[in-house]
Amino acid sequence: PIHKATIIPRGRALGMVMRLPEKDQYAMARDQLEANLVVAMGGRVAEDLIFGREKVTTGASNDIAQATQIARKMVTEWGMSDKLGPLRYNENQEEIFLGHSVAQQKNVSDATAEVIDQEVRAIVDGADDDCRKILTENIDDLHTLANALLEYETLTGDEIKALLRGEPIVRDKDDDVTPPTGVRSSVPTTGGAPLGPGPTPEPQGG
């Protein structure tokens, strides 16, 4: 479940989405991992859909790295590749005290390494396709949430659910939120209005 989404920069992140686990979890199922990959691709896909391929930014770098790492572990550590089966394929290991060129040890053949790369690419591409399909089918909701974030900068999970139900955001007067001048209200009307040109904050997968 979403705890909070914000476009307020924190460190290197231009924004982030915080998700809280419903319970302690010591292992993750394949469908959960695949769902996390779809979430990780959301920011880049949204940029592509709204602004076009030529206007995508570097803001999704952390999400792309996270997705690649998860997919590679699915293939090389967790036995979730149909082509490679339930085997562990260690990556090249290096002894940091001896230096890269001296201590690099190769644990897989070139042919196997190529298959690993293909499988990782297929998993990430599949998540990208699923994410694109979801956002395209729910483009009005994307605009609604984006405009609400431009107006309020931070939304709680309950506020996001309310917006997706077509309800306005209701906050106490003590919340000290002043919408920026010139930004239209986030109260849903007949559907999300397209965002204008300009940089888009990149929500970070969490």
Side-chain angles (χ1 to χ4, degrees):
I2 301 298
H3 171 63
K4 181 172 67 173
T6 181
I7 58 173
I8 298 175
R10 285 176 171 80
R12 295 183 180 181
L14 300 180
M16 65 180 63
V17 175
M18 297 176 60
R19 293 184 291 164
L20 296 181
E22 294 179 289
K23 58 183 179 180
D24 291 337
Q25 192 166 4
Y26 302 100
M28 295 191 69
R30 182 169 183 166
D31 59 352
Q32 291 176 293
L33 294 168
E34 291 173 345
N36 284 338
L37 289 173
V38 174
V39 172
M41 302 309 294
R44 167 54 61 85
V45 172
E47 282 188 332
D48 194 2
L49 288 176
I50 302 304
F51 299 109
R53 187 169 299 275
E54 299 302 318
K55 297 297 183 181
V56 296
T57 72
T58 60
S61 61
N62 183 64
D63 293 330
I64 292 173
Q66 181 186 55
T68 304
Q69 182 182 40
I70 291 174
R72 185 164 293 277
K73 286 186 175 183
M74 289 173 67
V75 172
T76 62
E77 297 184 27
W78 300 331
M80 295 182 180
S81 164
D82 294 333
K83 287 185 179 181
L84 294 171
L87 296 176
R88 179 181 176 89
Y89 296 89
N90 291 329
E91 298 181 355
N92 290 348
Q93 297 177 347
E94 299 168 15
E95 175 54 64
I96 59 174
F97 298 107
L98 297 179
H100 176 88
S101 60
V102 176
Q104 189 175 34
Q105 180 182 0
K106 195 168 185 179
N107 296 297
V108 297
S109 67
D110 291 340
T112 301
E114 183 176 354
V115 175
I116 290 173
D117 288 341
Q118 291 172 354
E119 288 290 270
V120 171
R121 177 64 182 266
I123 290 173
V124 175
D125 283 349
D128 186 271
D129 291 341
D130 290 345
C131 182
R132 189 173 300 273
K133 181 175 183 290
I134 291 170
L135 289 182
T136 300
E137 293 176 351
N138 297 276
I139 194 70
D140 287 345
D141 289 338
L142 173 61
H143 288 302
T144 296
L145 293 178
N147 284 306
L149 283 168
L150 287 173
E151 182 174 352
Y152 292 102
E153 295 187 326
T154 298
L155 298 173
T156 67
D158 289 338
E159 289 172 338
I160 290 173
K161 291 178 182 178
L163 285 169
L164 296 181
R165 291 194 300 265
E167 302 170 3
I169 292 178
V170 178
R171 289 183 171 174
D172 296 333
K173 294 181 180 180
D174 298 334
D175 284 346
D176 190 25
V177 175
T178 304
T181 304
V183 178
R184 75 176 185 85
S185 172
S186 65
V187 177
T189 54
T190 57
L195 295 173
T200 179
E202 172 61 37
Q204 301 296 316

